[in-house]
């Protein structure tokens, strides 16, 4: 997450990313707030990377990797949107949009034939249990 900047509405301006063991999202946070690197929790192995959005989307996205090393600690440090563009390590390869991504929790809205994510959560909290 970022520190050393300030909130201007729902956007975090300035600051630098810092790895943390635990945090609770501030009420200002939403999608594209620029306060969390790749907008959520990053997970990876030597072949693929995932991100779990920590906002109203509650979706799981996927990073395609071209290398068999761990790269997520460096991804997004050189510009918030950079992981959307082809890079030597790979890139974000799924446009989740309003979907549940590659498989997240959701509910089927039969009337509108649409899978809806659980977007109204009171609190998002993340803790590293290593």
């Amino acid at each position: 997450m970022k520190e050393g900047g300030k909130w201007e509405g729902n956007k975090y301006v300035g600051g630098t990313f810092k790895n943390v063991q635990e945090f609770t999202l501030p009420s200002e946070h939403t999608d594209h707030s620029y306060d969390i690197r790749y907008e959520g929790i990053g997970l990876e192995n030597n072949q693929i990377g995932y991100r779990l959005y920590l906002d109203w989307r509650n979706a799981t996205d996927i990073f395609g990797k071209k290398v068999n090393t761990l790269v997520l600690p460096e991804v997004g440090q050189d510009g918030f949107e950079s992981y959307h563009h082809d890079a030597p390590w790979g890139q974000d390869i799924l446009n989740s949009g309003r979907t549940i991504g590659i498989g997240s929790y959701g509910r089927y809205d039969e009337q509108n034939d649409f899978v809806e994510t659980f977007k109204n959560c009171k609190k998002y909290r993340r803790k590293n249990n290593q």
Side-chain angles (χ1 to χ4, degrees):
M1 65 184 297
K2 272 191 176 179
E3 66 177 8
K6 64 179 181 172
W7 285 99
E8 292 182 4
N10 288 341
K11 304 284 184 217
Y12 195 83
V13 179
T16 55
F17 288 112
K18 173 185 177 185
N19 291 330
V20 295
Q21 294 297 311
E22 183 176 345
F23 69 94
T24 301
L25 288 177
S27 60
E28 298 89 350
H29 178 81
T30 187
D31 59 301
H32 299 92
S33 285
Y34 307 104
D35 60 324
I36 299 176
R37 199 165 16 125
Y38 39 85
E39 300 189 88
I41 298 169
L43 307 165
E44 71 176 318
N45 62 30
N46 64 339
Q47 298 175 334
I48 197 164
Y50 302 93
R51 64 177 166 155
L52 310 172
Y53 288 116
L54 291 180
D55 56 45
W56 63 270
R57 294 171 287 185
N58 278 317
T60 304
D61 200 0
I62 188 170
F63 293 111
K65 292 176 62 174
K66 298 178 185 178
V67 297
N68 65 359
T69 59
L70 300 181
V71 296
L72 288 184
E74 304 306 318
V75 169
Q77 295 281 14
D78 58 345
F80 186 80
E81 298 283 332
S82 65
Y83 54 82
H84 290 292
H85 307 288
D86 189 29
W89 65 269
Q91 74 179 81
D92 177 10
I93 60 172
L94 176 65
N95 182 1
S96 296
R98 292 188 57 215
T99 73
I100 62 171
I102 63 166
S104 297
Y105 295 103
R107 62 180 171 78
Y108 181 63
D109 178 346
E110 191 172 337
Q111 185 177 26
N112 296 307
D113 192 29
F114 185 77
V115 175
E116 186 72 67
T117 61
F118 295 99
K119 53 183 147 185
N120 295 320
C121 297
K122 289 185 179 184
K123 184 189 273 189
Y124 293 90
R125 185 169 181 267
R126 187 251 187 218
K127 182 175 181 179
N128 186 353
N129 289 323
Q130 291 182 345

